[in-house]
Amino acid sequence: MEQTFIMIKPDGVQRGLVGEIIGRFEKKGFYLKGLKLITVDQSFAEKHYADLSAKPFFNGLIEYIISGPVVAMIWEGKNVVTTGRKIIGATNPAESAPGTIRGDFAIDIGRNVIHGSDSVESAKKEIALWFPESPVNWQSSVHPWIYE
Ligand code: DAT
Ligand code: MG
């Protein structure tokens, strides 16, 4: 089934939003397939955001991501990449709808609490980067109560 990479950024961890955010993905019905609290270094953060290296905000973005521990996760489910982005909300919290994570918990674009892969292809790349170890293999027993 489809998987996405979700990361709670350092501000989300510092502000105690980890449980709230995990709860939203869990309650939706997605399955948690990877989870770790880690602090990443500059070269790792630059790899994760390599596509944005020419942007004027790149250095600030890297500093922010390495400023404290983050929660890296793999979530699985039908259309989880697209639906995950909807749960997260627009990049700029000023434009994120209420009810989304960024809409409910963030104000500035440079402190927008959470990352989510933007396509199935980038999800695969990001999961390989963040979870090089073999993933835990488990199946949820509630599957037939979520999928018809
Ligand atoms: P997203 O995180 O919604 O996928 P993105 O991949 O375009 O957005 O950018 C990655 C992060 O970089 C984003 O979460 C916040 C920051 N960012 C994006 N655009 C920015 C801008 N115009 N000014 C400052 N930071 C920005
Ligand atoms: Mg992105």
Side-chain angles (χ1 to χ4, degrees), residues 6 8 15 17 20-22 24-25 84-90 93 96-107 112-115:
I6 300 289
I8 305 173
R15 292 174 56 200
L17 296 173
E20 169 75 34
I21 289 169
I22 289 177
R24 290 186 179 207
F25 282 84
R85 296 276 296 187
K86 285 183 188 160
I87 290 170
I88 287 171
S96 322
T100 65
I101 291 166
R102 287 167 174 165
D104 288 349
F105 302 121
I107 292 175
N112 65 1
V113 172
I114 184 165
H115 164 85

Side-chain angles (χ1 to χ4, degrees), residues 30-85:
F30 293 132
Y31 303 143
L32 183 62
K33 292 295 176 103
L35 172 72
K36 60 185 174 186
L37 177 77
I38 49 167
T39 307
V40 297
D41 64 18
Q42 184 166 335
S43 73
F44 187 94
E46 286 174 356
K47 244 182 242 169
H48 172 73
Y49 280 124
D51 294 353
L52 299 174
S53 60
K55 301 283 186 189
F57 56 83
F58 184 69
N59 288 346
L61 175 61
I62 299 304
E63 260 177 55
Y64 161 50
I65 294 303
I66 68 173
S67 65
V70 301
V71 174
M73 296 176 281
I74 301 168
W75 286 92
E76 185 178 280
K78 190 196 278 182
N79 293 324
V80 67
V81 171
T82 299
T83 305
R85 296 276 296 187

